[in-house]
Amino acid sequence: MASATTTVNDDFLAKANPFRRELLAHCYRMVGSVHDAEDLVQETYLRAWRAYDKFEGRSSLRTWLYRIATTTCLTALEGRRRRPMPAGLGGSAHPDTPVAEQPDVPWLEPVPDAMIGATRTDPAAIVSMRASTRLALIAALQHLPPRQRAVLLLRDVLAWRAAEVAELLDISTAAVNSILQRARAQLDQAAPNEDEVTEPSTPGQRELLDRYVAAFEKKDVPAIVELFSTDVVWEMPPLSEWYRGPEHVGRHLAVRCPGGPDDIRMVRTSANGQPAFAQYLRAPAGSGTHFLPFNLQVLTLTGNRITHVANFLDTGLFEKFDLPQHLAD
């Protein structure tokens, strides 16, 4: 009996583990939290392992796992509040007004590219993965009710047939098409135009990021602001205040942001298919550690300008991104 169970376990893991990263991406799109997504993938695999002896192969194992993952996410989302970004809660603030943390809000979280990167070498799969995990798109998805979210992801991201989605959700094909139409309409109002968002692949864009790092480490606010678009957005969860426009962002950086020249270090990483930086702040004198985690920035580029900076002040994210907990000088 033990040998048979071991064989089932080994067979299941060998066949199911290659899908773990893309299932994590799917759960992340559904719930907007890398921590919750990891838990939901674990629950998905546990449910799948328990039911594996009943898997009849009427669909592919990948499709079967996505069915379980989607159901698991929908159950987890029952009664939960959506995960917003500050700009989704109200109008922009003036940089001279007081700022306040909102720890009771379940804020949206970024996801490391290393955790969800496409396991296939197909360039189209890699581009699709990046596009479908853009931070602005994930934030827009959170505005949809969970069932609308699931239908849109299954149809538009995973390219399931309407009949497959209907079977999963136990509704009619007509209902699936109606839900999808409403979801697309609402998403169009909140999501960015993907054709305008660009990868940092050209020499000019790479130089832009180099200048951004140099300016921040020198605390050269005019040089930072020069890299922004005229309608740049600056967000800082768990702070509910956010700013629009280079003037307001520059005022915030000059007046409120701690540190001076040479007090900040930037470590490159990537999140949500976008360039990102871990920002470290010089520790107080005598602490024994020169630079400590301060925030995680995720940047959006449009052409040769920075159009959005999301500053995540939750330093617990550094562990998820496999970033050091301190830097030497």
Side-chain angles (χ1 to χ4, degrees), residues 76-127:
L77 287 169
E78 290 178 1
R80 284 196 190 182
R81 298 159 62 190
R82 68 181 179 90
R83 287 185 172 271
M85 287 291 284
L89 297 180
S92 60
H94 190 279
D96 292 335
T97 59
V99 296
E101 288 193 17
Q102 299 287 344
D104 57 321
V105 176
W107 296 104
L108 190 74
E109 295 175 351
V111 64
D113 284 352
M115 292 179 67
I116 61 169
T119 55
R120 292 169 288 174
T121 57
D122 177 10
I126 296 172
V127 171

Side-chain angles (χ1 to χ4, degrees), residues 313-325:
L313 301 178
D314 177 9
T315 56
L317 290 167
F318 277 54
E319 182 178 358
K320 291 296 179 189
F321 280 77
D322 198 25
L323 291 160
Q325 291 302 306

